[in-house]
Amino acid sequence: MAPSKALTLTLDAVLKNWPLKSPPRPIQISALEKTIESFNNGMEFVALEVPVGGGKSALAFALARTMGTSYTLTLTEQLQHQYLRDFQQYGMEPLKGRGKYACAKAGEGYTCADGALMFEGKDCCGPDLCPYQLAKQRAFEAPHLVANYHSYLFNLGLSAGKKRPKKGELSDVPNDAWSTKADAIRDLVVLDEAHCSESFLLEQAGVEVRLDKLTLKLAPLPIESDENNIRTEPYLKYMQEELIPQLTSYLKISERRGILDPKTKRDLNTLLSKLNMVLANPEDEWVAERTQTPDRKGFLADRFALKPLRVARYGSWLTGFGKKLLIMSGTILDAYQMTTSIGLDPEKGDFHTFDSPFPVENRPIYIGNLDMGFKARDESWPVMVEQVGKLLNSHSKEKGLLLAPSNKMLFHITKELAKTDPATARRIIIASGENRVQKYNEHLASRMPTVLGASGFWEGADLAEDASRFQIIPQLPRPMWQGQIAKRAAREPNWYTWLTYVKLLQGCGRSVRSEKDTAVTYILDRDFRKEFKKPKGLIPLWVKSSVQLVG
């Protein structure tokens, strides 16, 4: 983060910049008071755990308007649109990728991303006419910018310090860009849905190589006799001595002969850049992952990845562009764990957590007593299917959500239910793979009491009101014990537990979306009880107030 000083903020000043017609609610006032106090005391960052319905975006923007300038990071385009709907009139502008703008030169149906590939930046429409470049210029000239994590990283985390483009020259740096990182600093950076920030950095910091996608004559990968204990050194050596030289040579020859299409050229250059980045950071502890999976033609697709054990040193990609930082999520759970994972000093920030503003009677959470551990699977899975069937029948006239940690579990439940209760099994619409969004929409549109069965909608699904009056979570969504996760979890078991509960409690928020909404949640896995009973466990206030133990 940028050097931080104490501020002199007042609640009255912030409320004068309140951006909504409706007055702030008590939870928003309380969150503002605590944040103002922390910043006035010289804290560099504040982490706010505010559940769904707490009005995080409005209180963050009121602070941003009062403090001066801001960057706001969101997870999805949908959330970005919500910010713009409410705050664009006050000077907030969006930063989006090339693919969101129609190319002025390529013709109808083509985006600026298509145009960049078609023309390779040459003789394109120019920075003064390109819709993407103009939109980006508006965003950086505006006092408040909202972007998803990817766009922000591309334009700030990886680009700060680049020189301004020359007149008439195409560049991924905006026309009013900075010549030094200091020029990019704003008064406040807001990380919305910040529980995802570590996993996002992990995606960006490592490299994945699919040999089946490379048209290179490469030596075979190192032989591994134990897929659960893959050594890293042979892969680093393979990259340095085989892959990078071959890829560099291939790109030079292809450039000279003009035989590569623009997209392939871009993808190979990106891969080369990531490979070099890994080798340029030997101080990181890199973890190798290797997989062989059948492709569409039935052949084994050989691939490997190198990921850093921790991404704290890359946290400045997100946090390094603000004088102050506001971290927001409904599932921070462990402020020390979350802030240190992205390179922040916990002594330089404060953490504040709040209960849900929704009536507790509208959001009960019932915790069962099933042993869902791997060793107990033979005994527990038949009981799990039976309990899921009973719960579905007790809500036979209502829509709901069946949220499982894997498709394997979902298919098992529907298969076994079909043997004893076919009508109930047919209610389940499984949303998986390429058709998951289609099935999600099918569930929303159906007039029947369908149940959305999913393993990938722990976040992002909005099943308000009659779209879901109940949700069943048979087992805690523990991350797969392999590769980078397994190696780090072996050293930091508390981190692994934190990952599990962040995902679980995100799932608990899919169905109750407003003060008048109602839904009941059933968690069958008894391990939740252990965490709930800990004096200083990971269960936040908005969950503790709802929990009832059964069985």
Side-chain angles (χ1 to χ4, degrees), residues 372 377 381 384-385 388 392 400-418 424-433 436 439 451-458 472-475:
M372 295 300 293
R377 176 173 166 173
W381 276 42
M384 170 192 71
V385 172
V388 168
L392 291 176
L401 172 65
L402 175 58
L403 199 51
S406 68
N407 285 329
K408 184 175 183 178
M409 179 179 284
L410 286 173
F411 289 127
H412 176 82
I413 290 171
T414 53
K415 179 182 177 181
E416 294 303 309
L417 280 177
T424 296
R426 285 194 295 269
R427 289 175 60 196
I428 302 173
I429 299 175
I430 294 183
S432 65
R436 72 186 197 120
K439 294 297 183 180
V451 177
L452 181 67
S455 62
F457 281 121
W458 297 89
I472 304 170
I473 301 175
Q475 182 178 4

Side-chain angles (χ1 to χ4, degrees), residues 212-393:
D212 59 313
K213 297 295 184 181
L214 297 177
T215 56
L216 301 176
K217 292 183 179 180
L218 296 165
L221 285 175
I223 297 173
E224 294 289 349
S225 59
D226 182 2
E227 62 181 16
N228 295 318
N229 187 25
I230 298 175
R231 296 172 301 143
T232 299
E233 291 74 17
Y235 291 90
L236 291 171
K237 183 177 180 181
Y238 182 86
M239 285 166 46
Q240 185 171 23
E241 297 181 0
E242 177 71 18
L243 187 53
I244 289 178
Q246 292 272 30
L247 184 54
T248 302
S249 176
Y250 178 73
L251 283 167
K252 287 181 179 179
I253 294 171
S254 301
E255 177 72 19
R256 192 163 58 244
R257 296 178 179 176
I259 60 176
L260 277 183
D261 66 90
K263 183 178 184 305
T264 302
K265 179 181 176 181
R266 181 200 64 187
D267 291 346
L268 291 179
N269 274 302
T270 299
L271 173 60
L272 182 61
S273 176
K274 286 199 168 191
L275 291 168
N276 282 314
M277 187 201 74
V278 171
L279 293 181
N281 291 280
E283 64 272 26
D284 281 342
E285 186 173 353
W286 296 98
V287 179
E289 298 179 354
R290 172 97 174 261
T291 55
Q292 286 185 314
T293 55
D295 62 16
R296 292 181 179 180
K297 296 180 180 179
F299 297 104
L300 285 179
D302 208 349
R303 69 184 73 178
F304 74 94
L306 285 170
K307 300 178 181 178
L309 187 68
R310 299 177 181 85
V311 293
R313 67 186 299 264
Y314 301 101
S316 60
W317 287 352
L318 302 179
T319 64
F321 298 92
K323 298 175 184 177
K324 298 287 186 180
L325 177 67
L326 182 62
I327 298 171
M328 304 191 304
S329 173
T331 54
I332 290 177
L333 309 189
D334 183 336
Y336 178 87
Q337 185 68 68
M338 184 185 156
T339 54
T340 55
S341 72
I342 58 173
L344 297 173
D345 182 350
E347 297 297 321
K348 296 181 179 180
D350 283 338
F351 170 56
H352 307 294
T353 183
F354 302 89
D355 198 358
S356 173
F358 301 163
V360 66
E361 61 271 17
N362 290 359
R363 48 184 174 88
I365 300 175
Y366 294 98
I367 311 302
N369 199 25
L370 266 183
D371 181 358
M372 295 300 293
F374 181 78
K375 294 181 180 179
R377 176 173 166 173
D378 290 344
E379 294 78 26
S380 62
W381 276 42
V383 181
M384 170 192 71
V385 172
E386 181 183 354
Q387 291 188 5
V388 168
K390 288 181 178 179
L391 290 171
L392 291 176
N393 285 324

Side-chain angles (χ1 to χ4, degrees), residues 36-48:
I36 289 168
E37 181 181 5
S38 295
F39 281 156
N40 285 346
N41 287 336
M43 292 293 103
E44 292 184 358
F45 69 87
V46 174
L48 294 180

